Amino acid sequence: MVRLELDQVVMRRMKEEDIEMVKALIKEGCEGTENRLILHVLTRPLCLFVMAVFSSMLRCLVHSFILALAIPVFLLIVFLKITMPRSVGILGSSRPSWDYVGSAYRGTQEETLPNPYCRISGKTPTTKKPRRKLGAKDKNISSEVISPEREEAAGQVWVADCDGEIQACIFRESEKRPGIRRICRVVVSSWYRREGLGRLLVQSLENKERDTGAHRVYAHVPYPSKVAEVFFRKLGYRHLGQDPLAEDEEEDKDSDLEAPEKGFMRHPLTKVFYKDL
């Protein structure tokens, strides 16, 4: 872990030249999440019952108890590996894959989120060009024309940039319901965790959305992730459908509610947390 000066962090919209760095950050942050989700699905009672039935049927065909147990498990794991990215995509997102090119910021003046630590320290953060590998070229920058409709539907990606290095990112889906915002991904580099960077990104984005008229923010958390659940609870989020204090509010705002993402045999893959701004 590297000591981080939060007042030197610039929170800005992702640009097209940042896409590969953001993808690498997401790959690092999501390592093992898919396997934990598969294990979660495999250990559900209904799923265990279905595998037991298939094992009993195979026991009559395959004269091996071990093979009769292993074959259904292996086939189900392969099935989940193939279908889970399509049904879940970016965890908590209803789309099969994220439109990185469409969500890249193309404005001439950089769009940033206010950093409250700058007011405390009195320092002004500076941005540098993203660090690139030797010999890297701008081949990944697309030349296609992005329509305003696609840009609006693609959503937004905000990155935490310090000295040209992208240390964290947060994804916000497109505005499908008035006053409702949806966070579907918060990732912090393993080198900068437990430094308050994730909290800074979420709270800064909340303040921006509040200023634009939003009154509720949803965050989807992968089902096995206890760390993410504790993180959002500390930020004032409540678990939808389980917190008793929120029952009356949920009845009054039925039009604002949403369900967790579902996977194999309709098992929930995410927990839905929300916060009223």
Side-chain angles (χ1 to χ4, degrees), residues 53-249:
V53 172
F54 276 101
S55 295
S56 300
M57 297 170 60
L58 282 174
R59 186 70 179 86
C60 301
L61 301 175
V62 182
H63 301 290
S64 172
F65 180 74
I66 296 178
L67 285 177
L69 286 177
I71 290 175
V73 175
F74 174 76
L75 292 178
L76 185 55
I77 291 176
V78 172
F79 174 78
L80 292 174
K81 283 280 189 180
I82 295 174
T83 60
M84 187 168 288
R86 297 177 182 175
S87 61
V88 181
I90 301 295
L91 285 175
S93 174
S94 57
R95 64 190 67 177
S97 59
W98 189 270
D99 185 1
Y100 287 91
V101 177
S103 59
Y105 181 65
R106 293 171 178 79
T108 55
Q109 186 175 0
E110 197 165 60
E111 186 176 356
T112 60
L113 298 174
N115 188 336
Y117 290 94
C118 294
R119 295 195 297 267
I120 298 174
S121 66
K123 298 180 181 179
T124 302
T126 58
T127 57
K128 296 182 180 180
K129 292 184 178 180
R131 299 174 182 175
R132 303 179 185 274
K133 295 181 180 180
L134 293 177
K137 298 181 180 180
D138 294 336
K139 293 182 179 180
N140 296 320
I141 298 181
S142 174
S143 59
E144 63 179 312
V145 178
I146 307 300
S147 64
E149 292 77 13
R150 177 182 172 182
E151 189 172 354
E152 183 178 356
Q156 298 179 357
V157 181
W158 295 83
V159 299
D161 183 342
C162 185
D163 195 22
E165 179 184 5
I166 294 179
Q167 301 167 341
C169 62
I170 182 170
F171 286 53
R172 181 186 70 76
E173 280 202 336
S174 56
E175 302 175 17
K176 298 178 181 178
R177 291 174 291 174
I180 304 296
R181 303 294 185 266
R182 200 168 190 251
I183 297 174
C184 58
R185 175 72 76 190
V186 181
V187 179
V188 180
S189 173
S190 58
W191 290 97
Y192 302 100
R193 290 173 186 169
R194 301 186 184 278
E195 292 287 329
L197 191 54
R199 181 179 67 249
L200 177 62
L201 264 177
V202 173
Q203 292 179 335
S204 299
L205 185 58
E206 287 174 356
N207 294 334
K208 176 184 179 299
E209 300 302 340
R210 184 188 297 110
D211 294 339
T212 59
H215 61 80
R216 173 172 284 194
V217 177
Y218 283 106
H220 286 246
V221 174
Y223 215 93
S225 179
K226 297 296 182 182
V227 175
E229 182 175 343
V230 172
F231 170 76
F232 280 104
R233 285 190 181 276
K234 286 184 177 180
L235 291 177
Y237 284 74
R238 291 185 281 187
H239 190 181
L240 190 66
Q242 290 194 6
D243 290 355
L245 295 177
E247 290 181 357
D248 295 336
E249 296 181 12

